[in-house]
Amino acid sequence: MIEALPWYVTRAAGMVSLVLLTAVVCLGLLTAARWQRPGWPRFLTAEVHRSIALLSVVFLVVHVVVAVVDPYTALGWASALVPFSSPYRQVWLGLGGVSMYLVAAMIVTSLLRGRIGRRTWRAIHLTAYASWPLAVVHGLGTGTDSAAAWSWVVNAACAMAVGGALVLRLRAHQEERAAVETALPMTSGSGFR
């Protein structure tokens, strides 16, 4: 049983990391959509987003470190830190590595946001949204539980949550665009030349 402990810890930390990353993506989309409800102001959504992002990094680090030290997988640090270099499930682990680096870029640039400027931060932050689908595919391809019904339920719930938040974000973007278009003065046909 003790020999299997790293395997259980890696699996659990990976799944918790995915659920937390899902929450981070959803809250990021809701923050960008300026979502708020009575009793839940917008700034609180942004603060919860930041806090869960940092917590997700903790579980991601546990997931990676325990996978590296697990004698069964014998990944080694190079396989964990250099995407697509592992002989063990190379593509799937590589996608996880890319996702990990996108999350790291998101966290580092968020911590340095005041120094790097909003435009740079936003550009990097937007590319980091790719970390979520890469993490999902990594888990489905690498995870030993990927065929289990409970794993499919968790992945489906994560996908539905991100999909719902994305719909809200796109709807808010359309509303913002419509408001700008109606606010613009109508110049054509007004008699001015």
Side-chain angles (χ1 to χ4, degrees):
M1 183 66 179
I2 285 291
E3 305 89 40
L5 184 61
W7 182 64
Y8 287 114
V9 171
T10 299
R11 291 167 49 217
M15 195 56 82
V16 170
S17 186
L18 175 64
V19 170
L20 291 172
L21 184 58
T22 298
V24 170
V25 170
C26 290
L27 289 168
L29 289 166
L30 293 174
T31 299
R34 294 175 176 78
W35 180 84
Q36 68 182 31
R37 292 290 181 256
W40 187 272
R42 261 194 338 233
F43 79 88
L44 192 55
T45 303
E47 288 301 317
V48 172
H49 170 73
R50 283 187 207 104
S51 297
I52 293 176
L54 292 174
L55 183 60
S56 73
V57 170
V58 171
F59 278 92
L60 179 60
V61 168
V62 170
H63 174 66
V64 172
V65 169
V66 175
V68 167
V69 300
D70 183 357
Y72 176 76
T73 58
L75 289 179
W77 286 105
S79 293
L81 299 175
V82 180
F84 306 105
S85 66
S86 174
Y88 178 78
R89 300 182 181 177
Q90 184 177 33
V91 172
W92 307 116
L93 283 175
L95 294 174
V98 172
S99 176
M100 175 184 70
Y101 282 118
L102 289 173
V103 168
M106 189 171 27
I107 297 296
V108 169
T109 55
S110 291
L111 294 172
L112 298 174
R113 185 176 175 179
R115 292 187 175 175
I116 63 174
R118 181 167 170 72
R119 181 174 287 183
T120 302
W121 170 82
R122 184 172 166 81
I124 294 169
H125 214 74
L126 288 175
T127 63
Y129 277 112
S131 66
W132 181 82
L134 289 174
V136 171
V137 172
H138 161 74
L140 291 174
T142 305
T144 53
D145 295 317
S146 59
W150 68 265
S151 177
W152 280 98
V153 168
V154 171
N155 280 289
C158 289
M160 288 189 306
V162 169
L166 183 59
V167 166
L168 288 173
R169 172 62 181 118
L170 293 173
R171 214 178 270 162
H173 179 69
Q174 287 175 339
E175 291 171 3
E176 290 169 10
R177 197 173 210 182
V180 167
E181 288 175 3
T182 58
L184 291 175
M186 299 184 68
T187 55
S188 61
S190 63
F192 296 105
R193 298 204 185 250

